[in-house]
Amino acid sequence: MSDLKGRTALVTGAGRGIGRAIARRLAADGALVAVHYGSDESSARETVELISRSGGRAFHVHAVLGVPDDVHTLYERLDRGLEEMGEPTALDILVNNAGFNVRGGLADVTSHDFDRLMAVHAKAPLFLVQQGLPRLREGGRIVNISSAATRVAFPTSLAYSMAKSALEALTRTLAKELGPRHITVNSVAPGFVKTDLNKQRWSTPEAEATHAALSALGRMGQPDDIADVVAFLASEDSRWVTGQCIDASGGTGL
């Protein structure tokens, strides 16, 4: 496919897991992909190498999110990387994927963990869009990676669920505000996805079967299941879809 040929995408948290799958799919569809990472440089380099070996174009960008000047640092390094690639400092696709979870219910959640989760899942995407608008071209695409935890109650992930809910509110509001520029803004809500980032939760066949049984389709999600939905939202085919959250959980909790 070459639907995204000539377009530039930034995928945050693209070194591993869902982010890597998204970066690889967008590159396979023709986009030049900036592979953002916060701490694991070797995984980000591996993502870039996988894309290059498949005939795609990518480069890595390092910036820790949730700290002072995080967005400024990211865009400064993104611009430098684009210039080194001989490309204009412009964006067509922004995928806010970077994230993590700190498990804990009402009795366990701490102010520190709550602030960290909100900073990465809600604050960083807001200011990535705000400071990215001068770079984002007409008809661009913004895709936020949310979670089925905004729809299904998971008491052991209270603060995480709240942060992702804030991200969905941001999605709807930005879709309305950026509509005049023909920029669509949508979110994708995965359920239980089998990645190495949370493999301890299903480290045994019994644990995996328990999580798989929560899906109407009877299996765990795979990173490519999410990447394919993001690719649709990044493409011209999704031009009439904005302000929506697409559930990509395999029917978890139905």
Side-chain angles (χ1 to χ4, degrees), residues 7 92 136-141 181-184 234-236:
R7 300 188 187 183
D92 300 284
L136 199 59
R137 288 188 274 224
E138 186 95 357
R141 301 284 189 266
R181 289 184 57 188
H182 304 288
I183 296 171
T184 66
S235 74
E236 178 62 19

Side-chain angles (χ1 to χ4, degrees), residues 141-166:
R141 301 284 189 266
I142 298 170
V143 183
N144 298 319
I145 305 303
S146 181
S147 171
T150 64
R151 175 180 57 83
V152 181
F154 292 107
T156 56
S157 293
L158 174 59
Y160 174 81
S161 301
M162 293 176 68
K164 287 298 192 182
S165 294

Side-chain angles (χ1 to χ4, degrees), residues 6-248:
R7 300 188 187 183
T8 298
L10 167 62
V11 183
T12 65
R16 301 162 65 188
I18 292 173
R20 172 180 285 181
I22 292 170
R24 295 186 69 184
R25 173 59 197 270
L26 296 181
D29 287 356
L32 167 63
V33 181
V35 175
H36 163 265
Y37 71 99
S39 59
D40 191 346
E41 181 178 354
S42 62
S43 291
R45 287 184 177 275
E46 184 178 351
T47 300
V48 171
E49 177 61 25
L50 287 167
I51 289 172
S52 298
R53 279 196 306 224
S54 299
R57 300 175 69 214
F59 62 97
H60 60 80
V61 178
H62 175 237
V64 178
L65 297 179
V67 299
D69 295 323
D70 52 356
V71 173
H72 175 77
T73 298
L74 194 159
Y75 277 128
E76 185 178 64
R77 294 173 177 175
L78 173 70
D79 291 348
R80 189 183 312 142
L82 287 170
E83 289 171 357
E84 290 173 356
M85 297 286 289
E87 297 289 339
T89 54
L91 269 179
D92 300 284
I93 301 160
L94 170 60
V95 181
N96 287 306
N97 166 77
F100 65 98
N101 189 9
V102 178
R103 292 173 60 78
L106 181 60
D108 309 303
V109 65
T110 67
S111 177
H112 175 69
D113 289 339
F114 179 86
D115 289 345
R116 287 175 59 216
L117 287 161
M118 292 297 292
V120 173
H121 291 281
K123 183 179 178 181
L126 166 61
F127 290 102
L128 278 166
V129 174
Q130 183 196 66
Q131 296 183 35
L133 279 181
R135 299 167 177 84
L136 199 59
R137 288 188 274 224
E138 186 95 357
R141 301 284 189 266
I142 298 170
V143 183
N144 298 319
I145 305 303
S146 181
S147 171
T150 64
R151 175 180 57 83
V152 181
F154 292 107
T156 56
S157 293
L158 174 59
Y160 174 81
S161 301
M162 293 176 68
K164 287 298 192 182
S165 294
L167 182 63
E168 290 197 10
L170 176 67
T171 297
R172 292 187 293 273
T173 304
L174 290 179
K176 180 73 170 178
E177 183 166 351
L178 301 182
R181 289 184 57 188
H182 304 288
I183 296 171
T184 66
V185 189
N186 294 286
S187 62
V188 177
F192 296 111
V193 180
K194 194 171 181 180
T195 73
D196 61 348
L197 297 177
N198 45 23
K199 60 185 177 182
Q200 69 278 3
R201 295 188 63 188
W202 31 81
S203 56
T204 67
E206 294 77 16
E208 181 173 335
T210 297
H211 286 87
L214 297 173
S215 161
L217 300 178
R219 68 168 175 85
M220 293 278 293
Q222 297 292 332
D224 285 346
D225 294 326
I226 313 306
D228 290 347
V229 178
V230 174
F232 163 70
L233 292 174
S235 74
E236 178 62 19
D237 290 345
S238 69
R239 61 193 174 275
W240 203 234
V241 180
T242 195
Q244 304 304 305
C245 176
I246 297 183
D247 188 287

